[in-house]
Amino acid sequence: MENTTSKHSKHQAFIAQAEEALKENSSAMDTTFRLHYHMMPPAGWMNDPNGMIYFNGYYHLFYQHDPYQAKQGPMHWGHARSKDLVHWEHLPVALAPSEDYDKGGNGGQGCWSGSAALHNGTLTLIYTGHVDGKTPEEVQCLATSADGVTFHKHEANPVIGDSPDPVCFGFRDPKVWKHGDKWHMVVGYGKDGLGKAIIYTSNDLLSWEYQGAAVESDGTMGDMWECPDLFPLGGDDRHVLLISPMNIAPVKNLYLSGTFDYESCRFVKQQAEQIDYGFDFYAPQTLIDDLGRRIMIAWMNIWGAAMPEQAHGWLGAMTLPRELKLAADGTLRSHPVPELSVLRGQHISAADIALADGGLTAIDNVQGDSLELDIVFDLSKSSASELGLRVRCSGDGSSYTEIRYAIAEQRLYMDRNLGGAGDGGVSEAPLGQLEDGRLRLRLFIDRSSLELFAGDGRIAITNRVYPDPANVGIGFFARQGTAVIETLDAWELSSIW
Ligand code: FRU
C-alpha cells in the first residue's frame, strides 16, 4: 500500500506538472478581454472561489481551476493571496486530483469546492472529492499546510465518506466555521427535488456528526443548493445563508436571512432575495477579516454562458470583494470594499448636468474601459419616465450596454443585447425606496465586466460584456421628459497586474 509520504510526493508531482502547464499556457493567451483590476487565473479555467480565509496578514483566495485548458476538467485548487483585497499575487496550485476519492471516472472529477479553517494554528482546506460514477460520488476531504503554500491531503480522507442518504442529488461544497469550541459545516445537498443546507459538527475537523438540514427549499428555491455559506451577521443570533440553487433559472443566487439556533442547528428564515441580479454572479463565498468585516467574492461568470474568453486560452474572473451588512429589516447590503479607492487615477467631477429628452449627452473626458463612476440623479428635478447611461459605446453608436432606471416601475435594468460578443440579455432588479428622491448609481467598468450598485447596497447587478476594445464611449440620457444629474464623479482605475 502506498504510504503517506509517497502519496504526498505523487500529489506534489501533479502540482509541478500543473505549474509547468500554466507557465506555458499563460504565455500563449490572447489578452483582449483580460481584466484590469479583477482576480483572474494566470491561464486556464477558473470557477468558484474556495477556501477564503484571512490568515497571517493575508487574504487567501483559492479557486476551482483547470490549469491545462480553458474549460472545466479535473478540478484543482488554484491559490492567490492579497494584503489589501485589491492586488493579488498568484501562488502555486494548492490541490490537484491525485487519490481515488478525487481522481478518476470519465466525466467530472477532482477537488471540488470547499472552504478553509485555522485549527490549532494549521491551515486546513475542506473540500469535496468528486468522481463521476463512483459510489458514493461525493465525499468530504481535508488537506493541511504548515506554510500556507504546500498542502498535504489527510490520511483520514475522506472524513465524511457518505451522504446522509445515498439516493440524493448532490452532496458537496462544505463551508466550515467555528462557534464556541465547535466546528460547524454546512454542505450543499439535494433530495426529493429540494435543495437543502445540511449541517455537521465536529471538535477536531476529522470526526463529524450529522445534525440534519438547517433549512431547505420551500419548493421554489431549486433542487440542489450549491456552495452554501452560513454565517452570523447583524448581531444576536441573526445569520445569513448564501446559496447557488440549481434549476430555477433565471435565478442563480439567493440569500436567506434569519436566525440560526446552535442547539438545534435549525435556521428560521426572515427574508429571501437575490444577492445579485446580474447574469454573471455565482457561488459566492465569504470570510471574516481582522477588522471583523464579512467580505464576499463570487465567480463572475455563469455555467452555460457563451464565455468568449475561452477561445483566448483562459476563463473566469472573480467579482470585486464586497462587504456585507444586514439591515434591521433583514435585507442584505453589499458594498465594494473601500480599499478599491487605491486604484483611482484621473478624476473628473461634474454637477448639474441637464439631460434633454432623447439623445445621448457625453461629458468631457468621461469615457474608458477601466473606470469607476458615481452618479447621482435628482429625481425631483426630473420629468422623464426613464433615465440612465450607455457605456462601452462604439463610435457609430450601434454597440453599447445600457443601464436604465424606469421611474414609475421602480426597476433598474442592465441591457447588454447590443453589448458585443457573448450572450445578450437584460438583467433587472426592483429598486424602490430611493433616498430623498435621489438615484445613486455606482458602476465599476472593467475591460469585460460591469458591476453596478444601487439602493444603498440593496441592489447589485454584475455582468460580463465583451465589446470591441475600441468601444469606450459613455453617454447619459433621459426619455419622455428631461432629467438632471446632480453630481458625477468618474475615476480612471489603474491595473493591478
Ligand atoms: C458550483 C460547482 C460546485 C462544485 C464546483 C465544481 O459552481 O458546481 O457545486 O463543487 O462547481 O467545480
Side-chain angles (χ1 to χ4, degrees):
M1 220 177 106
E2 229 179 346
N3 66 28
T4 313
T5 318
S6 63
K7 278 190 183 181
H8 181 61
S9 8
K10 178 179 65 177
H11 184 218
Q12 287 312 308
F14 282 124
I15 285 176
Q17 203 180 314
E19 287 298 319
E20 273 307 304
L22 277 175
K23 221 183 288 163
E24 200 168 306
N25 295 345
S26 58
S27 59
M29 271 184 316
D30 174 333
T31 58
T32 307
F33 296 129
R34 294 287 278 178
L35 295 151
H36 268 172
Y37 55 92
H38 286 80
M39 222 318 269
M40 298 170 292
W45 167 279
M46 175 174 86
N47 59 290
D48 316 354
N50 293 155
M52 284 175 59
I53 189 165
Y54 184 79
F55 168 60
N56 276 352
Y58 284 97
Y59 295 90
H60 286 262
L61 173 66
F62 300 83
Y63 52 90
Q64 290 287 281
H65 186 33
D66 189 329
Y68 295 97
Q69 50 181 357
K71 53 184 194 179
Q72 183 196 21
M75 283 297 164
H76 296 55
W77 275 38
H79 187 189
R81 69 178 182 180
S82 170
K83 267 190 188 302
D84 61 1
L85 288 169
V86 178
H87 299 91
W88 294 94
E89 174 194 350
H90 288 295
L91 294 176
V93 167
L95 296 177
S98 63
E99 303 303 319
D100 59 356
Y101 51 78
D102 60 23
K103 183 176 167 64
N106 297 321
Q109 54 161 304
C111 305
W112 280 21
S113 284
S115 53
L118 197 60
H119 182 53
N120 297 334
T122 301
L123 184 60
T124 304
L125 307 181
I126 303 104
Y127 70 96
T128 296
H130 179 107
V131 182
D132 257 17
K134 192 167 185 269
T135 312
E137 204 162 64
E138 295 184 326
V139 294
Q140 316 312 326
C141 307
L142 300 186
T144 58
S145 172
D147 61 3
V149 177
T150 307
F151 289 84
H152 293 248
K153 292 185 183 175
H154 204 287
E155 60 200 43
N157 281 346
V159 292
I160 304 180
D162 260 322
S163 58
D165 187 327
V167 188
C168 68
F169 179 49
F171 171 57
R172 59 177 173 270
D173 311 337
K175 175 79 199 287
V176 165
W177 78 106
K178 201 170 200 178
H179 177 78
D181 291 338
K182 257 206 173 0
W183 288 105
H184 289 70
M185 177 195 285
V186 58
V187 187
Y189 191 59
K191 172 91 194 132
D192 303 326
L194 300 178
K196 300 174 196 256
I198 61 176
I199 306 286
Y200 289 78
T201 53
S202 170
N203 293 319
D204 56 7
L205 297 178
L206 287 171
S207 114
W208 292 92
E209 201 177 322
Y210 179 53
Q211 305 290 354
V215 56
E216 62 181 40
S217 166
D218 59 8
T220 67
M221 296 177 185
D223 54 6
M224 159 66 192
W225 286 359
E226 294 192 311
C227 301
D229 190 351
L230 178 59
F231 48 87
L233 191 69
D236 300 323
D237 49 1
R238 298 208 293 163
H239 280 66
V240 171
L241 173 67
L242 308 181
I243 53 172
S244 298
M246 288 175 69
N247 300 317
I248 44 163
V251 173
K252 299 288 188 181
N253 64 80
L254 286 173
Y255 76 83
L256 277 59
S257 67
T259 53
F260 183 70
D261 172 28
Y262 283 89
E263 284 297 307
S264 63
C265 289
R266 296 295 174 271
F267 179 90
V268 178
K269 168 174 80 84
Q270 181 191 2
Q271 293 267 3
E273 249 315 328
Q274 273 178 251
I275 310 164
D276 187 299
Y277 291 84
F279 294 106
D280 295 295
F281 181 98
Y282 200 67
Q285 191 174 92
T286 69
L287 58 71
I288 190 146
D289 72 1
D290 60 330
L291 303 171
R293 298 182 300 175
R294 181 60 63 175
I295 313 271
M296 171 182 73
I297 293 177
W299 182 37
M300 194 164 61
N301 295 82
I302 193 68
W303 294 108
M307 301 179 175
E309 73 264 45
Q310 271 186 306
H312 295 181
W314 69 284
L315 179 286
M318 295 299 173
T319 64
L320 292 176
R322 305 174 187 180
E323 183 179 355
L324 298 181
K325 298 236 166 88
L326 193 63
D329 64 358
T331 54
L332 189 65
R333 310 294 172 102
S334 74
H335 294 280
V337 294
E339 282 93 328
L340 289 161
S341 63
V342 304
L343 297 174
R344 288 175 178 173
Q346 197 198 8
H347 179 203
I348 308 282
S349 165
D352 294 322
I353 302 148
L355 302 177
D357 185 349
L360 278 183
T361 303
I363 296 171
D364 281 352
N365 297 317
V366 176
Q367 57 165 36
D369 64 359
S370 187
L371 291 179
E372 176 186 350
L373 298 179
D374 190 343
I375 311 154
V376 179
F377 292 93
D378 184 348
L379 298 186
S380 72
K381 294 190 181 146
S382 151
S383 61
S385 68
E386 359 179 275
L387 44 76
L389 69 160
R390 288 182 180 175
V391 299
R392 303 304 309 267
C393 301
S394 58
D396 67 0
S398 64
S399 177
Y400 55 83
T401 294
E402 179 169 291
I403 290 158
R404 171 173 77 240
Y405 185 61
I407 298 174
E409 278 174 63
Q410 302 194 320
R411 287 188 91 72
L412 184 62
Y413 297 89
M414 190 188 290
D415 179 342
R416 59 173 190 181
N417 278 327
L418 297 172
D423 292 326
V426 183
S427 307
E428 54 176 287
L431 177 58
Q433 298 169 45
L434 296 175
E435 308 86 31
D436 40 315
R438 288 176 169 78
L439 170 68
R440 180 175 176 201
L441 300 177
R442 271 190 91 191
L443 179 65
F444 287 84
I445 303 175
D446 202 345
R447 295 171 24 133
S448 58
S449 72
L450 295 171
E451 283 166 284
L452 176 65
F453 299 88
D456 195 23
R458 266 177 291 131
I459 300 300
I461 300 181
T462 302
N463 282 316
R464 298 298 299 279
V465 291
Y466 302 91
D468 184 312
N471 299 357
V472 292
I474 296 182
F476 298 84
F477 63 81
R479 290 181 192 139
Q480 283 117 36
T482 61
V484 172
I485 299 176
E486 189 174 44
T487 57
L488 166 78
D489 288 285
W491 293 268
E492 234 161 66
L493 299 186
S494 56
S495 174
I496 60 170
W497 304 111

mmCIF file of all heavy atoms in Angstrom, residues 47-48 64 72 75 112-113 128 172-173 224 226-227 282-283 299 303, ligand 1:
data_model
loop_
_atom_site.group_PDB
_atom_site.id
_atom_site.type_symbol
_atom_site.label_atom_id
_atom_site.label_comp_id
_atom_site.label_asym_id
_atom_site.label_seq_id
_atom_site.Cartn_x
_atom_site.Cartn_y
_atom_site.Cartn_z
ATOM 1 N N ASN A 47 -13.446 28.560 -11.792
ATOM 2 C CA ASN A 47 -14.805 28.855 -11.335
ATOM 3 C C ASN A 47 -14.796 29.200 -9.853
ATOM 4 O O ASN A 47 -14.000 30.075 -9.461
ATOM 5 C CB ASN A 47 -15.844 27.818 -11.785
ATOM 6 C CG ASN A 47 -15.633 26.390 -11.363
ATOM 7 O OD1 ASN A 47 -14.714 25.728 -11.842
ATOM 8 N ND2 ASN A 47 -16.464 25.884 -10.492
ATOM 9 N N ASP A 48 -15.610 28.611 -9.050
ATOM 10 C CA ASP A 48 -15.898 29.106 -7.695
ATOM 11 C C ASP A 48 -14.701 29.573 -6.856
ATOM 12 O O ASP A 48 -13.683 28.883 -6.809
ATOM 13 C CB ASP A 48 -16.547 28.003 -6.851
ATOM 14 C CG ASP A 48 -17.614 27.228 -7.576
ATOM 15 O OD1 ASP A 48 -17.965 27.589 -8.695
ATOM 16 O OD2 ASP A 48 -18.084 26.233 -7.004
ATOM 17 N N GLN A 64 -11.577 27.034 -7.877
ATOM 18 C CA GLN A 64 -11.721 25.891 -8.768
ATOM 19 C C GLN A 64 -10.957 26.204 -10.056
ATOM 20 O O GLN A 64 -11.146 27.264 -10.664
ATOM 21 C CB GLN A 64 -13.209 25.650 -9.081
ATOM 22 C CG GLN A 64 -13.986 25.125 -7.900
ATOM 23 C CD GLN A 64 -13.635 23.673 -7.603
ATOM 24 O OE1 GLN A 64 -14.100 22.760 -8.254
ATOM 25 N NE2 GLN A 64 -12.775 23.466 -6.607
ATOM 26 N N GLN A 72 -13.855 23.338 -18.110
ATOM 27 C CA GLN A 72 -13.937 22.593 -16.863
ATOM 28 C C GLN A 72 -13.422 21.184 -17.096
ATOM 29 O O GLN A 72 -13.932 20.458 -17.935
ATOM 30 C CB GLN A 72 -15.397 22.519 -16.397
ATOM 31 C CG GLN A 72 -15.551 21.820 -15.061
ATOM 32 C CD GLN A 72 -16.988 21.403 -14.781
ATOM 33 O OE1 GLN A 72 -17.787 21.284 -15.699
ATOM 34 N NE2 GLN A 72 -17.309 21.211 -13.523
ATOM 35 N N MET A 75 -10.718 19.087 -11.560
ATOM 36 C CA MET A 75 -10.563 20.336 -10.821
ATOM 37 C C MET A 75 -9.399 20.317 -9.837
ATOM 38 O O MET A 75 -9.267 19.421 -9.019
ATOM 39 C CB MET A 75 -11.844 20.641 -10.042
ATOM 40 C CG MET A 75 -12.919 21.177 -10.934
ATOM 41 S SD MET A 75 -12.389 22.744 -11.639
ATOM 42 C CE MET A 75 -13.590 22.856 -12.938
ATOM 43 N N TRP A 112 -13.251 19.375 -5.665
ATOM 44 C CA TRP A 112 -14.318 20.343 -5.891
ATOM 45 C C TRP A 112 -14.389 21.344 -4.732
ATOM 46 O O TRP A 112 -13.588 21.291 -3.797
ATOM 47 C CB TRP A 112 -15.643 19.611 -6.158
ATOM 48 C CG TRP A 112 -15.727 19.132 -7.590
ATOM 49 C CD1 TRP A 112 -14.687 18.921 -8.451
ATOM 50 C CD2 TRP A 112 -16.914 18.815 -8.324
ATOM 51 N NE1 TRP A 112 -15.153 18.496 -9.676
ATOM 52 C CE2 TRP A 112 -16.510 18.417 -9.635
ATOM 53 C CE3 TRP A 112 -18.278 18.822 -8.025
ATOM 54 C CZ2 TRP A 112 -17.437 18.042 -10.627
ATOM 55 C CZ3 TRP A 112 -19.192 18.448 -9.012
ATOM 56 C CH2 TRP A 112 -18.774 18.067 -10.295
ATOM 57 N N SER A 113 -15.387 22.194 -4.780
ATOM 58 C CA SER A 113 -15.394 23.378 -3.914
ATOM 59 C C SER A 113 -15.415 23.067 -2.426
ATOM 60 O O SER A 113 -15.879 22.008 -2.002
ATOM 61 C CB SER A 113 -16.585 24.262 -4.265
ATOM 62 O OG SER A 113 -16.296 24.934 -5.464
ATOM 63 N N THR A 128 -14.645 18.916 -1.413
ATOM 64 C CA THR A 128 -15.379 17.739 -1.872
ATOM 65 C C THR A 128 -14.532 16.966 -2.874
ATOM 66 O O THR A 128 -14.078 17.539 -3.872
ATOM 67 C CB THR A 128 -16.703 18.161 -2.543
ATOM 68 O OG1 THR A 128 -17.522 18.795 -1.565
ATOM 69 C CG2 THR A 128 -17.453 16.948 -3.101
ATOM 70 N N ARG A 172 -22.164 18.333 -1.591
ATOM 71 C CA ARG A 172 -20.844 18.926 -1.831
ATOM 72 C C ARG A 172 -20.736 20.362 -1.302
ATOM 73 O O ARG A 172 -21.709 20.961 -0.876
ATOM 74 C CB ARG A 172 -20.516 18.904 -3.324
ATOM 75 C CG ARG A 172 -21.493 19.639 -4.223
ATOM 76 C CD ARG A 172 -21.010 19.599 -5.673
ATOM 77 N NE ARG A 172 -21.982 20.152 -6.598
ATOM 78 C CZ ARG A 172 -22.936 19.448 -7.204
ATOM 79 N NH1 ARG A 172 -23.036 18.142 -7.003
ATOM 80 N NH2 ARG A 172 -23.785 20.040 -8.016
ATOM 81 N N ASP A 173 -19.508 20.876 -1.429
ATOM 82 C CA ASP A 173 -19.171 22.277 -1.146
ATOM 83 C C ASP A 173 -19.258 22.613 0.347
ATOM 84 O O ASP A 173 -20.003 23.521 0.757
ATOM 85 C CB ASP A 173 -20.061 23.235 -1.971
ATOM 86 C CG ASP A 173 -20.116 22.849 -3.452
ATOM 87 O OD1 ASP A 173 -19.177 22.173 -3.913
ATOM 88 O OD2 ASP A 173 -21.092 23.211 -4.130
ATOM 89 N N MET A 224 -31.079 21.615 -5.763
ATOM 90 C CA MET A 224 -29.774 21.352 -5.140
ATOM 91 C C MET A 224 -29.181 22.708 -4.811
ATOM 92 O O MET A 224 -29.230 23.617 -5.632
ATOM 93 C CB MET A 224 -28.891 20.568 -6.132
ATOM 94 C CG MET A 224 -27.385 20.642 -5.873
ATOM 95 S SD MET A 224 -26.896 19.829 -4.323
ATOM 96 C CE MET A 224 -25.206 20.413 -4.177
ATOM 97 N N GLU A 226 -25.967 24.565 -4.303
ATOM 98 C CA GLU A 226 -24.516 24.522 -4.394
ATOM 99 C C GLU A 226 -23.921 25.625 -3.517
ATOM 100 O O GLU A 226 -24.540 26.669 -3.292
ATOM 101 C CB GLU A 226 -24.070 24.703 -5.847
ATOM 102 C CG GLU A 226 -24.495 23.538 -6.739
ATOM 103 C CD GLU A 226 -23.834 23.549 -8.111
ATOM 104 O OE1 GLU A 226 -23.835 24.605 -8.779
ATOM 105 O OE2 GLU A 226 -23.325 22.500 -8.519
ATOM 106 N N CYS A 227 -22.717 25.365 -3.075
ATOM 107 C CA CYS A 227 -21.892 26.361 -2.383
ATOM 108 C C CYS A 227 -22.630 27.143 -1.295
ATOM 109 O O CYS A 227 -22.639 28.391 -1.313
ATOM 110 C CB CYS A 227 -21.291 27.333 -3.386
ATOM 111 S SG CYS A 227 -20.269 26.494 -4.607
ATOM 112 N N TYR A 282 -22.028 33.921 -9.326
ATOM 113 C CA TYR A 282 -22.359 32.560 -8.870
ATOM 114 C C TYR A 282 -21.379 32.129 -7.782
ATOM 115 O O TYR A 282 -20.246 32.608 -7.704
ATOM 116 C CB TYR A 282 -22.284 31.579 -10.046
ATOM 117 C CG TYR A 282 -23.047 30.293 -9.787
ATOM 118 C CD1 TYR A 282 -24.438 30.295 -9.674
ATOM 119 C CD2 TYR A 282 -22.377 29.082 -9.632
ATOM 120 C CE1 TYR A 282 -25.143 29.126 -9.418
ATOM 121 C CE2 TYR A 282 -23.081 27.894 -9.380
ATOM 122 C CZ TYR A 282 -24.463 27.929 -9.279
ATOM 123 O OH TYR A 282 -25.167 26.781 -9.026
ATOM 124 N N ALA A 283 -21.858 31.204 -6.956
ATOM 125 C CA ALA A 283 -21.021 30.533 -5.958
ATOM 126 C C ALA A 283 -20.275 31.502 -5.030
ATOM 127 O O ALA A 283 -19.086 31.314 -4.765
ATOM 128 C CB ALA A 283 -20.022 29.604 -6.658
ATOM 129 N N TRP A 299 -17.859 34.092 -8.183
ATOM 130 C CA TRP A 299 -17.394 33.808 -9.549
ATOM 131 C C TRP A 299 -18.167 34.721 -10.504
ATOM 132 O O TRP A 299 -19.403 34.739 -10.469
ATOM 133 C CB TRP A 299 -17.656 32.338 -9.873
ATOM 134 C CG TRP A 299 -17.190 31.874 -11.210
ATOM 135 C CD1 TRP A 299 -16.048 32.247 -11.869
ATOM 136 C CD2 TRP A 299 -17.841 30.911 -12.056
ATOM 137 N NE1 TRP A 299 -15.945 31.568 -13.064
ATOM 138 C CE2 TRP A 299 -17.031 30.753 -13.207
ATOM 139 C CE3 TRP A 299 -19.016 30.161 -11.954
ATOM 140 C CZ2 TRP A 299 -17.368 29.880 -14.243
ATOM 141 C CZ3 TRP A 299 -19.353 29.295 -12.990
ATOM 142 C CH2 TRP A 299 -18.542 29.153 -14.115
ATOM 143 N N TRP A 303 -22.358 29.143 -15.413
ATOM 144 C CA TRP A 303 -22.360 27.902 -16.199
ATOM 145 C C TRP A 303 -23.268 28.078 -17.414
ATOM 146 O O TRP A 303 -24.336 28.664 -17.307
ATOM 147 C CB TRP A 303 -22.872 26.734 -15.345
ATOM 148 C CG TRP A 303 -21.979 26.386 -14.201
ATOM 149 C CD1 TRP A 303 -22.221 26.612 -12.873
ATOM 150 C CD2 TRP A 303 -20.688 25.768 -14.273
ATOM 151 N NE1 TRP A 303 -21.161 26.171 -12.119
ATOM 152 C CE2 TRP A 303 -20.203 25.636 -12.949
ATOM 153 C CE3 TRP A 303 -19.883 25.310 -15.328
ATOM 154 C CZ2 TRP A 303 -18.958 25.077 -12.649
ATOM 155 C CZ3 TRP A 303 -18.656 24.748 -15.021
ATOM 156 C CH2 TRP A 303 -18.210 24.627 -13.702
HETATM 157 C C1 FRU B 1 -20.537 25.365 -8.426
HETATM 158 C C2 FRU B 1 -19.980 23.961 -8.565
HETATM 159 C C3 FRU B 1 -19.878 23.301 -7.201
HETATM 160 C C4 FRU B 1 -18.809 22.291 -7.427
HETATM 161 C C5 FRU B 1 -17.867 23.016 -8.339
HETATM 162 C C6 FRU B 1 -17.133 22.120 -9.308
HETATM 163 O O1 FRU B 1 -20.174 26.205 -9.464
HETATM 164 O O2 FRU B 1 -20.772 23.204 -9.445
HETATM 165 O O3 FRU B 1 -21.081 22.767 -6.729
HETATM 166 O O4 FRU B 1 -18.174 21.887 -6.235
HETATM 167 O O5 FRU B 1 -18.640 23.952 -9.047
HETATM 168 O O6 FRU B 1 -16.145 22.839 -9.978
#
